[in-house]
Amino acid sequence: MSIGEQIAWDDTVLPFQLDNSDIRGRVARLDSALENVLEKHAYPPVVEALIAEATLLTAMIGQTIKLRWKLSLQIRGDGPVRLIATDYYAPEAEGAPARIRAYASFDRDRLDTQAEPYSQIGKGYFAILIDQGPDMTPYQGITPLAGKSLSACAETYFAQSEQLPTRFALSFGRATLPGQPQAWRAGGVMLQHMPGNSEAPKREAAEQAENWTRANMLLDTVEELELIGPRVGPPELLARLFHEEAPRVYDPQAVHFGCSCSEEKVRSTLSIYSAKDIGTMTTPEGTVTADCQFCGAHYVMDPATLGFEGKDG
């Protein structure tokens, strides 16, 4: 694969289906989008790995849904890593990129930097939240943390909450390409068995189960370097894995890093507080500050313009 082809497939999610079975899927490649997520914070490597996995899962899951606004993934636990949160924003127009962001909250003093990353979450839950915008009731699905990875939790979520057999194969980490500095790369394949006709004869149901088993066996043969590239493009990867299943690809979706924070939104949040409350938030320098947990943006505001008492104008 040429450098141009590599760049074309970086930060994309490619939808596909296997025409010889009732299976759909996604191939994702994240490069600068993931690097931009992680460079905003000085996370320890063990936390970076969890955010990388969660971000990759979010990109693939978000693209499978007819999303009008936002899909969020939240993992909460009682271990040193208390929270991992991601947001996937649907494209605002035809041909526009989707936007993704993520962050983690953790107790640095309790963190075991030599341990397997997933073990640092402890007991808790895995949740998917879908917000389709104003005047729409948000959806929330929750399942207890299970298995040995976040991808295993996602598979359990779809099996229990959506009754959709789902499988993920992921790879992520720091990579060094010729002539380039070390940077994060991630890639993965998502398979999902679509629901069949409940009144289908048993023979057809058995064939569908056989198709699902065969697709999983083929996915088991994938290599980590095939998942993250850059030598193998997503269409070539699908041909290698599923050529006998007649893979059909659709238009890829670009995914960029993007945060929705703004000073206007911070001011709106602070508008519920009284002047007295705002006074307790004021720094010795006479300002009120706020930081975005996702992108690290730092906002500095005049307390006289905040709260519901004594605003300018």
Side-chain angles (χ1 to χ4, degrees):
M1 186 169 64
S2 69
I3 294 296
E5 289 173 322
Q6 172 197 323
I7 294 173
W9 287 115
D10 281 346
D11 297 327
T12 61
V13 179
L14 177 67
F16 69 90
Q17 72 178 41
L18 304 181
D19 282 348
N20 289 346
S21 60
D22 296 318
I23 295 173
R24 69 174 181 177
R26 302 290 186 272
V27 180
R29 293 277 171 83
L30 296 183
D31 183 68
S32 60
L34 180 57
E35 183 72 16
N36 286 332
V37 164
L38 292 172
E39 72 178 3
K40 310 299 180 185
H41 307 273
Y43 291 125
V46 66
V47 178
E48 286 186 317
L50 290 169
I51 297 176
E53 184 176 9
T55 302
L56 185 57
L57 287 170
T58 304
M60 289 190 284
I61 295 171
Q63 211 284 327
T64 66
I65 296 171
K66 294 181 179 179
L67 195 64
R68 293 173 51 190
W69 189 44
K70 181 177 71 171
L71 176 141
S72 302
L73 190 153
Q74 288 188 7
I75 301 101
R76 291 186 179 272
D78 61 3
V81 179
R82 298 184 294 264
L83 170 68
I84 301 168
T86 66
D87 288 329
Y88 175 97
Y89 293 93
E92 295 181 347
E94 184 75 23
R99 294 176 295 131
I100 200 163
R101 64 180 189 171
Y103 85 96
S105 174
F106 63 97
D107 186 339
R108 191 178 295 271
D109 293 335
R110 295 172 57 205
L111 195 67
D112 183 352
T113 58
Q114 303 303 313
E116 191 278 324
Y118 182 71
S119 70
Q120 299 300 283
I121 303 175
K123 297 179 180 179
Y125 67 81
F126 177 99
I128 290 179
L129 302 90
I130 301 174
D131 191 338
Q132 297 287 27
D135 303 320
M136 300 289 288
T137 302
Y139 164 84
Q140 177 175 280
I142 298 177
T143 187
L145 293 175
K148 298 181 180 181
S149 65
L150 294 180
S151 59
C153 294
E155 291 169 357
T156 299
Y157 166 82
F158 280 107
Q160 295 181 351
S161 299
E162 307 294 333
Q163 288 74 54
L164 285 177
T166 303
R167 172 77 189 284
F168 294 94
L170 310 180
S171 180
F172 45 86
R174 287 188 173 275
T176 303
L177 301 179
Q180 299 183 30
Q182 189 180 73
W184 275 92
R185 288 186 65 84
V189 177
M190 174 185 184
L191 294 180
Q192 204 160 51
H193 197 305
M194 301 311 297
N197 185 351
S198 61
E199 299 180 358
K202 291 183 179 180
R203 180 177 178 180
E204 182 179 334
E207 289 177 352
Q208 291 176 351
E210 182 179 339
N211 290 340
W212 178 245
T213 299
R214 185 173 62 255
N216 277 268
M217 291 177 63
L218 293 171
L219 186 57
D220 286 337
T221 68
V222 73
E223 299 177 1
E224 288 195 6
L225 288 178
E226 290 179 314
L227 290 172
I228 65 172
R231 304 301 180 191
V232 182
E236 184 182 353
L237 175 59
L238 292 175
R240 288 187 181 188
L241 292 174
F242 306 117
H243 64 278
E244 294 183 355
E245 306 302 311
R248 179 192 305 186
V249 300
Y250 299 93
D251 292 337
Q253 173 63 61
V255 181
H256 294 175
F257 170 78
C259 193
S260 63
C261 73
S262 66
E263 182 172 322
E264 181 182 358
K265 290 183 178 180
V266 175
R267 288 181 175 277
S268 177
T269 300
L270 295 174
S271 66
I272 65 172
Y273 295 100
S274 67
K276 181 179 179 180
D277 293 328
I278 294 296
T280 65
M281 305 177 196
T282 302
T283 68
E285 292 74 26
T287 62
V288 173
T289 64
D291 296 317
C292 176
Q293 294 173 305
F294 286 97
C295 71
H298 182 67
Y299 298 98
V300 180
M301 292 157 287
D302 181 351
T305 66
L306 303 173
F308 61 79
E309 297 176 2
K311 285 187 179 180
D312 288 351

